[in-house]
Amino acid sequence: MQLVVGRIGKPHGVRGEVTVEVRTDEPEARFAPGTVLRTEPGATPPPPTDEPGVPFRVPAELTIEEARFHQGRVLIAFDGILDRNTAEALRGTLLVVDSADVAPPDDPEEFHDHQLVGLAVVTPAGERLGEVARIDHAPSSDLLVLRRPEGRTALIPFVRAIVPEVDLAGGRVIVDPPAGLLDL
């Protein structure tokens, strides 16, 4: 499974540097110089610069040449991206890593999104409520997006009072929702 760690934004300056919207808890590790990131969607590498009229295509992989933090943003220079026009062509590209390459969190109370997606959601009594479709990261707390059996979705705050247990080995999340939460 591919995990999004960033999204390329607008160019910064004229030498091919870009802003990156960070979507990882570990930007220093993910965006270290020398790191190779896959792009979504991947494509063929860009043509040589001496071929006029050939459109630029986003490479399937980008290698980080330099990364720095500037005014709360990450600025990245990728190997082979040397000018503002080429950097502009990267805008909107998602940067991804394979979930198999991501170490599990050290804290047993912390989970990566991909570990939770697809798990069954049940009450403490064992009643099946649905399955985790995705995780939404809201300012106050993370939300489990629950796909209900009848096709609707419900949002469940991912807090201990409502989600007392996550059983990865058993493939389930135990939820004790207050009355009416799943009817919203």
Side-chain angles (χ1 to χ4, degrees):
M1 168 185 255
Q2 298 295 311
L3 304 175
V4 176
V5 295
R7 185 179 149 281
I8 297 177
K10 64 184 181 179
H12 180 81
V14 296
R15 294 194 175 115
E17 206 170 35
V18 295
T19 61
V20 172
E21 174 190 321
V22 176
R23 296 189 183 174
T24 177
D25 290 341
E26 302 169 329
E28 294 84 7
R30 296 279 173 246
F31 302 122
T35 301
V36 177
L37 297 171
R38 296 203 42 82
T39 60
E40 187 67 36
T44 58
T49 55
D50 60 347
E51 291 185 37
V54 177
F56 174 81
R57 289 197 225 180
V58 175
E61 296 181 339
L62 291 169
T63 302
I64 297 174
E65 189 173 278
E66 181 183 349
R68 61 190 173 100
F69 292 85
H70 177 69
Q71 297 180 349
R73 295 183 294 183
V74 178
L75 302 178
I76 295 181
F78 291 107
D79 186 39
I81 308 300
L82 306 174
D83 60 65
R84 185 177 183 86
N85 290 339
T86 307
E88 178 63 43
L90 295 174
R91 189 189 289 232
T93 300
L94 297 177
L95 302 170
V96 300
V97 296
D98 192 319
S99 62
D101 298 334
V102 178
D106 294 332
D107 183 353
E109 297 294 317
E110 187 178 325
F111 306 96
H112 291 299
D113 293 2
H114 72 276
Q115 293 176 294
L116 301 172
V117 172
L119 295 182
V121 177
V122 298
T123 65
E127 175 190 353
R128 185 174 169 90
L129 300 174
E131 76 174 34
V132 178
R134 71 174 189 275
I135 313 300
D136 284 352
H137 300 280
S140 61
S141 73
D142 292 338
L143 298 167
L144 297 176
V145 178
L146 173 66
R147 184 179 307 115
R148 302 278 289 153
E150 66 274 6
R152 293 183 314 116
T153 59
L155 299 177
I156 299 173
F158 195 17
V159 296
R160 181 171 293 287
I162 299 173
V163 184
E165 183 181 347
V166 174
D167 179 8
L168 292 178
R172 64 190 184 140
V173 177
I174 298 173
V175 174
D176 191 10
L181 179 67
L182 301 178
D183 298 327
L184 296 175

